Amino acid sequence: METGEWRGSASADGFAGVRRGLWVEEPAVRYRMPDQVRRAAVRAVIIAAVTLIQAMIAFLSTLAGSWLAFPMVLSSVASTVVATWGVLDVWVTRQMWNQRHGVVSVPSSTARQLRRERRKARRAARSAMREEARIRRRGTNRLSEA
């Protein structure tokens, strides 16, 4: 097997037998983020980008000995605090969304296991009640016949 064959491309003798579409759709590995979480994440990325630009300008103006260095250092410090808030905002928003809309059900999910156990206990209790009612009905029928 040639190097390119395992990747789905043509072998060394050309593209003679290769018939592939231009667009190959692959299933998403992860689901799309909820809108609120995505908005918070975009905000955090923009704030972090602005913070990095401010820090770079502060560093370069310090090297150049410019008057702009001190105000840029102060704004970079403030912007770092705001960027930290932005990242925490993403985390809190994600946690709130998970709490309001339920746990993502994955095979290792603890919540799924607890739900399964509760469901099993409810079924067992219901069947026990049905069995008890059936036994009571049988007992009353026999007493009325006698």
Side-chain angles (χ1 to χ4, degrees):
M1 182 183 280
E2 301 238 352
T3 310
E5 285 183 51
W6 63 272
R7 279 188 253 142
S9 60
S11 60
D13 54 343
F15 293 98
V18 177
R19 187 87 173 113
R20 262 180 88 173
L22 187 60
W23 184 269
V24 178
E25 192 158 333
E26 297 175 2
V29 177
R30 294 176 58 156
Y31 291 107
R32 184 174 159 170
M33 277 193 291
D35 287 338
Q36 299 91 341
V37 179
R38 190 172 44 249
R39 262 188 245 122
V42 167
R43 251 194 327 264
V45 166
I46 290 172
I47 292 169
V50 168
T51 302
L52 287 173
I53 290 170
Q54 282 181 333
M56 186 178 63
I57 290 173
F59 176 72
L60 292 175
S61 57
T62 302
L63 289 179
S66 172
W67 63 271
L68 193 60
F70 185 69
M72 286 306 289
V73 167
L74 289 180
S75 70
S76 292
V77 170
S79 196
T80 302
V81 172
V82 173
T84 305
W85 169 83
V87 172
L88 285 174
D89 182 40
V90 173
W91 183 69
V92 168
T93 306
R94 185 173 164 270
Q95 294 299 322
M96 273 183 12
W97 195 90
N98 280 339
Q99 286 177 1
R100 287 182 183 164
H101 297 93
V103 178
V104 176
S105 190
V106 293
S108 64
S109 174
T110 311
R112 177 188 254 186
Q113 184 64 31
L114 290 174
R115 280 195 310 262
R116 196 176 286 146
E117 289 170 5
R118 271 187 262 138
R119 209 176 307 131
K120 190 184 250 184
R122 278 196 307 261
R123 282 185 194 140
R126 264 189 267 136
S127 67
M129 284 176 39
R130 267 190 250 121
E131 188 66 32
E132 189 179 314
R134 193 177 322 140
I135 291 171
R136 259 191 256 133
R137 276 196 312 260
R138 283 185 187 166
T140 57
N141 287 345
R142 288 191 182 150
L143 290 175
S144 61
E145 290 175 5

